[in-house]
Amino acid sequence: MELAIAHETIARWQFGMTTVYHFLFVPLSIGLGIIVAGLETAWVRTGKVKYFHATKFWGKLLLINIAMGVVTGIMQEFQFGMNWSDYSRFVGDVFGAPLAMEALIAFFFESTFIGLWIFGWHRLPKKLHLACIYMVTIGSILSAYFILAANSFMQHPVGYRIDPSTRKAQLTDIWAVLFQDTTLVVVFHTLTAAFLTGAAFVMGIAAYHLWRAKRGKDTNRQRISAMRSSLRCALVIAVVAGILTALSGDRLSKVMFEQQPMKMAAAEALWETQAPAPFSIFSVGDVGTGRNLIALEVPAALSFLAKSDFSSPVPGINTRAEEQVRQFGGTREEYIPDIFMTYWGFRLMIFFGMTSFGIGLLGLWLTRKKFWLDPSYRTGDDEPPTLMLTNKIAMNTFFTKWSWRIAALTLAFPLVANSFGWIFTEMGRQPWVVFHLQTTTDAVSPNVSMAEQITSLVAFSVLYAILAVVEVGLLIKYAKPGPDVDEQPPAKDPTLRPSAEDADKPLAFAY
Amino acid sequence: MHLYDLWFTLIAVLWVGYFFLEGFDFGIGVLTQLMARNHTERRVLINTIAPVWDGNEVWVISAAGATFAAFPDWYATMFSGFYIPLLIILICLIARGVSFEYRGKRSGDRWQRNWEQVTFWTSVITPFMWGLIFANIVRGLAINADKSYVGAIGDLFNGYAILGGFVTLALFTCHGAIFAALKTDGEIRERARKLAPVLGLVSLLLMLAFLLWTQVNSGNGQSLGVMIVSFVALLVAMFFNQLGREGWAFVFSGLTIVASFAMLFLTLFPEVMPSTLNPDWSLTVSNSSSAPYTLTVMTIVTAVFVPLVLLYQGWTYWVFRKRIAVHHIPAGH
């Protein structure tokens, strides 16, 4: 038993580490992908060279990022079999289907068309080239969809039965798995969060360049122009995506109150059933005695979050744990997830996500005059915007300085929010790997030795650490100089059948 | 015919498709050190596969995913049983993927040389490990009544499996040389064409030893036929290579890979992971497959999407059909 727990612990560490790492790149790729697609659309439609430069600039950062997302994704697929073979045997019949669909339907799409997009700039007709980045984006969204459908089955199993002879889960309804409410809400929440992530990334880097321009450190008008359009585009996306993330998050928490009440009780450190239930702002709990030592609460707010009224009872951790003891046996403690991680994971997710949204909203308001109102307020297309407090008053130097800096410094906030979101949702499900069907301890590969597991954990920690340094280094290297404004767009629309002379020119882009 | 028999074939198709496609891009990776004489030539080689390698790699993700869905026990036994070889493959695939993307992202000799070494070594080790894994599956493993591999890591590195690893490496490199001849121009093309028969001969000798060994151990009438096809195809590939008909040479070197791996799958059927401890504990298509409903769903998905994938991946190859020579490589990094 102790050995099984050690096995489980190492396997969980590896899963947690590789998943959080992988999920740094996925939402950024999705969000940045949409922005690049939008900017390229603007270029194709208007022919303005600033959109071309912006597309190329963000595209380069997207590629650095996508490369990591793709390669770390292989790890995710392989480790179900490597570390969690009993899980794979138990639910392969159900869980394998969306996973295989991801590869066949989504991932092929994404990775084939990304090659066409990278190398096709001077070889594909403009509109076809534009279609390629949309294919990549659609592929990555579909990819997220299928994976989240698979994960939602673990959170809330549907469309299956337990085969009486083999005691394994068997798929009975694929539509139920693909379209259950958990899947749909989670997909919506994750995608809007991904758009917010991409927007914050663009906001931060564009703000850095415009702040430089403001201080006269960069005077290239084309570069400023490209960054200004990027900033506005990102601010709008941040605000829209931020609102939708909050709305879908609220919907998701209601779904979870219904399907995984223990997770939400843990997220709120709500030990005893209360009616009306308060929303916790800060608490320090004690698992042993099953109560909070310190608690700062908003009365009745949790009832509203869970049930949309201010009086409904919300069952607490102790109540839920006892229910599970009656149903599955064992002790109360076994059924309580890590309260510290779920409680703070939930809060930090909301804090970091909403901060980015708030900064987007603030930025949109502060930069509004230059773009929408009276032409007398407008400066040239190639000037960094002045931050306006009101119609007439510009912000003073001190506030201006800090506004730009805050925008730049918060570019990674949604990444942190995403990570805590996953940590919360996965740890809040414990001790179950498939909710109420299989515990995580029962899911581990029984035949893999501790030495093998540790080798693997160490190897991936080292590899991922090295790659993180390389990745961040490259992102900074390419983000810092800004768009390459010397780069010329394809002179005429390329054709699929170039003349012999054109075909013999050096490649426009090569590895 | 049961659905799981069909699915055995489909899984085989996905794995074989993977080896056909990524086979040559692994080969190109090996040739960057084996054949290229300088920095620019290495770039010529890498750029022959640059737009397509990513799409090729998805075949392994599909193969693994489809195995998970159609044969959960096969997937679980294989992936937990080959823990260390798969760990090595994963590390290689991760490092290899970023090596293409990151090599040219910074100037500086050391940076680029290091990534070139990564490309080379990962392209050597990965095919070797795949060969080792599939040879071990054919040979049989210490699988217990719970369908788990209970042997030691060392058992996986037996003579037969190591030979299988070298066969795979040699074949992929030969396939890569023919692809290089097909996709490049100028001096490097000539050199690739001259190197191909040497690699072909090495592959042929290794294949003779490995496939005959397989045939003697676990062969049947069908596998014998397919084995002969793989030998003949390699000879035909060499013949076309000598004639300078690189397209046909590539088709036939691909056929050699397809036939060799098909032979392995044929010797397996109807087992998928034979047990050396007790024949009753072997995993077969019937005792390790998903239920008919899942297989039906997956059959529909595959029937619709695999042809579509072939179509747009084929189109990619057409878009980038141009041969690349040294003078096409832009200066810079």
Side-chain angles (χ1 to χ4, degrees):
Chain A
M1 189 60 195
E2 259 174 44
L3 201 65
I5 290 170
H7 269 298
E8 184 200 338
T9 309
I10 303 172
R12 276 179 67 183
W13 265 107
Q14 172 143 329
F15 194 86
M17 185 195 80
T18 52
T19 307
V20 167
Y21 196 76
H22 176 60
F23 205 71
L24 292 174
F25 308 108
V26 174
L28 193 51
S29 298
I30 295 175
L32 211 49
I34 283 279
I35 292 174
V36 171
L39 288 167
E40 192 176 346
T41 312
W43 179 62
V44 170
R45 291 192 63 111
T46 65
K48 285 185 186 163
V49 75
K50 66 172 178 179
Y51 291 123
F52 172 77
H53 290 143
T55 308
K56 288 292 259 193
F57 176 65
W58 300 112
K60 223 174 265 168
L61 299 176
L62 171 69
L63 293 179
I64 293 170
N65 190 62
I66 256 187
M68 287 288 278
V70 169
V71 294
T72 52
I74 308 174
M75 170 68 191
Q76 296 309 109
E77 190 195 41
F78 278 30
Q79 75 175 330
F80 290 114
M82 289 169 71
N83 279 336
W84 306 97
S85 66
D86 275 3
Y87 166 78
S88 305
R89 288 179 211 281
F90 178 61
V91 293
D93 201 303
V94 191
F95 185 84
L99 207 67
M101 286 182 200
E102 189 229 359
L104 282 169
I105 298 172
F107 207 33
F108 264 128
F109 231 65
E110 187 182 355
S111 50
T112 308
F113 284 98
I114 193 75
L116 280 158
W117 191 78
I118 302 174
F119 294 94
W121 270 103
H122 291 258
R123 200 159 306 179
L124 293 173
K126 273 183 202 165
K127 285 186 179 160
L128 199 55
H129 187 262
L130 176 62
C132 288
I133 190 74
Y134 277 103
M135 295 294 202
V136 173
T137 311
I138 292 170
S140 62
I141 289 174
L142 281 175
S143 187
Y145 168 75
F146 284 113
I147 292 307
L148 292 169
N151 182 268
S152 296
F153 173 80
M154 299 167 82
Q155 310 282 353
H156 184 240
V158 289
Y160 74 101
R161 67 177 191 124
I162 298 293
D163 184 293
S165 61
T166 60
R167 311 287 314 140
K168 287 177 185 173
Q170 227 178 46
L171 186 62
T172 55
D173 185 358
I174 185 71
W175 302 112
V177 174
L178 292 180
F179 296 111
Q180 66 157 321
D181 53 352
T182 324
T183 305
L184 299 179
V185 179
V186 166
V187 167
F188 196 73
H189 186 59
T190 312
L191 286 179
T192 49
F195 298 148
L196 182 61
T197 310
F201 185 79
V202 171
M203 249 157 65
I205 294 171
Y208 164 80
H209 284 288
L210 292 172
W211 174 227
R212 270 173 57 86
K214 199 119 198 115
R215 287 175 301 157
K217 300 217 170 167
D218 184 2
T219 50
N220 187 296
R221 315 188 97 187
Q222 283 184 302
R223 215 161 20 231
I224 296 169
S225 181
M227 283 296 108
R228 214 174 84 147
S229 303
S230 304
L231 179 73
R232 285 295 289 185
C233 167
L235 288 171
V236 172
I237 294 177
V239 170
V240 176
I243 293 170
L244 294 176
T245 310
L247 291 178
S248 56
D250 176 60
R251 183 83 198 86
L252 180 58
S253 65
K254 287 189 170 56
V255 169
M256 281 196 300
F257 268 116
E258 206 180 294
Q259 295 171 352
Q260 297 180 310
M262 175 59 102
K263 186 191 278 183
M264 292 315 291
E268 285 302 324
L270 179 75
W271 290 96
E272 297 301 335
T273 303
Q274 291 183 40
F279 179 86
S280 168
I281 295 170
F282 179 84
S283 84
V284 177
D286 179 0
V287 181
T289 57
R291 62 185 189 87
N292 284 326
L293 304 173
I294 305 170
L296 183 63
E297 297 167 335
V298 183
L302 188 59
S303 291
F304 183 75
L305 279 182
K307 308 273 167 67
S308 303
D309 65 57
F310 288 101
S311 57
S312 287
V314 177
I317 298 165
N318 293 332
T319 323
R320 290 301 182 186
E322 277 148 27
E323 270 175 29
Q324 294 193 62
V325 170
R326 279 197 297 279
Q327 204 177 344
F328 305 103
T331 60
R332 194 180 65 94
E333 276 84 5
E334 278 174 44
Y335 297 101
I336 300 178
D338 189 321
I339 302 290
F340 182 80
M341 288 304 292
T342 38
Y343 182 86
W344 288 110
F346 187 62
R347 266 148 200 76
L348 291 173
M349 169 184 77
I350 295 172
F351 173 78
F352 282 105
M354 286 299 102
T355 304
S356 307
F357 159 70
I359 288 167
L361 196 64
L362 206 63
L364 202 57
W365 188 68
L366 289 175
T367 58
R368 73 200 183 282
K369 286 300 158 204
K370 294 286 139 182
F371 304 86
W372 286 348
L373 282 188
D374 194 328
S376 65
Y377 285 114
R378 287 191 201 151
T379 50
D381 199 28
D382 46 13
E383 274 175 45
T386 303
L387 303 182
M388 307 287 287
L389 279 174
T390 67
N391 283 358
K392 303 207 166 48
I393 307 164
M395 286 174 92
N396 71 25
T397 328
F398 177 81
F399 284 114
T400 302
K401 177 176 159 185
W402 278 100
S403 308
W404 289 115
R405 279 199 186 168
I406 285 168
L409 290 174
T410 54
L411 93 170
F413 270 25
L415 292 176
V416 183
N418 296 333
S419 302
F420 280 118
W422 270 114
I423 290 169
F424 160 65
T425 201
E426 297 296 272
M427 289 189 73
R429 170 166 43 93
Q430 302 303 327
W432 301 103
V433 64
V434 188
F435 204 62
H436 287 185
L437 289 180
Q438 188 181 40
T439 59
T440 314
T441 322
D442 290 337
V444 184
S445 300
N447 55 325
V448 173
S449 73
M450 196 90 78
E452 288 173 315
Q453 280 189 315
I454 292 170
T455 311
S456 161
L457 181 61
V458 171
F460 278 104
S461 306
V462 172
L463 179 69
Y464 280 11
I466 295 171
L467 289 179
V469 173
V470 172
E471 160 93 7
V472 172
L474 282 177
L475 284 177
I476 292 174
K477 179 183 145 61
Y478 278 88
K480 248 189 163 163
D484 175 8
V485 290
D486 296 331
E487 194 168 357
Q488 294 304 317
K492 56 179 195 298
D493 203 8
T495 59
L496 281 168
R497 292 184 184 278
S499 66
E501 189 201 341
D502 276 348
D504 209 41
K505 283 184 187 155
L507 299 167
F509 172 76
Y511 273 157
Chain B
M1 186 166 147
H2 281 284
L3 262 179
Y4 47 67
D5 294 333
L6 172 70
W7 265 94
F8 178 82
T9 315
L10 290 175
I11 297 288
V13 167
L14 287 170
W15 281 108
V16 168
Y18 170 62
F19 291 131
F20 178 102
L21 287 172
E22 196 145 70
F24 70 76
D25 76 51
F26 283 131
I28 291 285
V30 178
L31 293 173
T32 52
Q33 297 293 327
L34 204 66
M35 188 176 83
R37 287 199 177 140
N38 55 44
H39 187 68
T40 316
E41 287 195 356
R42 272 193 287 280
R43 289 186 62 196
V44 170
L45 287 176
I46 290 175
N47 280 291
T48 60
I49 55 165
V52 296
W53 75 268
D54 203 358
N56 294 346
E57 193 163 281
V58 180
W59 282 80
V60 73
I61 298 170
S62 295
T67 312
F68 197 168
F71 297 99
D73 278 313
W74 185 3
Y75 170 78
T77 308
M78 177 171 167
F79 279 67
S80 64
F82 292 108
Y83 196 89
I84 294 294
L86 283 168
L87 173 69
I88 296 170
I89 285 176
L90 272 174
I91 291 171
C92 285
L93 290 181
I94 291 172
R96 185 170 184 268
V98 291
S99 82
F100 292 127
E101 183 61 39
Y102 290 175
R103 194 202 60 95
K105 287 273 177 288
R106 250 177 70 177
S107 47
D109 262 2
R110 224 184 90 202
W111 170 270
Q112 301 201 346
R113 261 206 319 274
N114 286 346
W115 284 118
E116 283 165 6
Q117 290 294 330
V118 170
T119 304
F120 172 72
W121 284 108
T122 53
S123 302
V124 168
I125 296 168
T126 318
F128 180 87
M129 285 297 162
W130 281 126
L132 179 112
I133 287 173
F134 276 91
N136 269 313
I137 292 179
V138 171
R139 183 174 178 263
L141 294 157
I143 292 171
N144 68 9
D146 293 334
K147 299 180 176 174
S148 285
Y149 173 68
V150 289
I153 305 167
D155 298 351
L156 302 176
F157 292 82
N158 54 72
Y160 175 75
I162 289 172
L163 183 58
F166 280 117
V167 171
T168 312
L169 176 60
L171 259 182
F172 286 5
T173 313
C174 176
H175 192 39
I178 292 173
F179 183 77
L182 175 65
K183 289 293 295 177
T184 59
D185 219 347
E187 202 215 333
I188 194 165
R189 175 182 175 188
E190 294 307 314
R191 227 174 319 130
R193 248 174 60 192
K194 287 201 184 104
L195 186 62
V198 181
L199 293 167
L201 186 66
V202 175
S203 307
L204 192 67
L205 292 176
L206 288 167
M207 264 168 63
L208 269 173
F210 179 72
L211 294 185
L212 283 174
W213 192 344
T214 311
Q215 181 63 25
V216 170
N217 267 354
S218 49
N220 50 36
Q222 280 176 325
S223 68
L224 182 69
V226 177
M227 179 180 78
I228 292 168
V229 170
S230 76
F231 289 138
V232 173
L234 188 56
L235 293 172
V236 175
M238 291 306 122
F239 173 72
F240 278 118
N241 183 63
Q242 289 313 104
L243 290 184
R245 303 287 297 273
E246 288 126 350
W248 284 108
F250 179 69
V251 169
F252 279 93
S253 70
L255 182 60
T256 307
I257 292 178
V258 171
S260 311
F261 280 96
M263 179 191 168
L264 299 187
F265 280 100
L266 279 172
T267 58
L268 272 178
F269 186 80
E271 290 177 338
V272 294
M273 295 275 283
S275 168
T276 50
L277 301 178
N278 180 343
D280 290 344
W281 295 343
S282 293
L283 276 72
T284 66
V285 286
S286 56
N287 75 6
S288 58
S289 73
S290 286
Y293 177 76
T294 303
L295 294 179
T296 311
V297 169
M298 290 306 300
T299 307
I300 295 167
V301 171
T302 312
V304 174
F305 286 95
V306 168
L308 194 67
V309 169
L310 289 173
L311 213 65
Y312 63 70
Q313 281 206 339
W315 183 66
T316 312
Y317 282 86
W318 186 77
V319 168
F320 299 106
R321 65 196 177 281
K322 194 183 96 171
R323 285 177 184 271
I324 302 172
V326 171
H327 69 271
H328 292 126
I329 297 297
H333 52 72

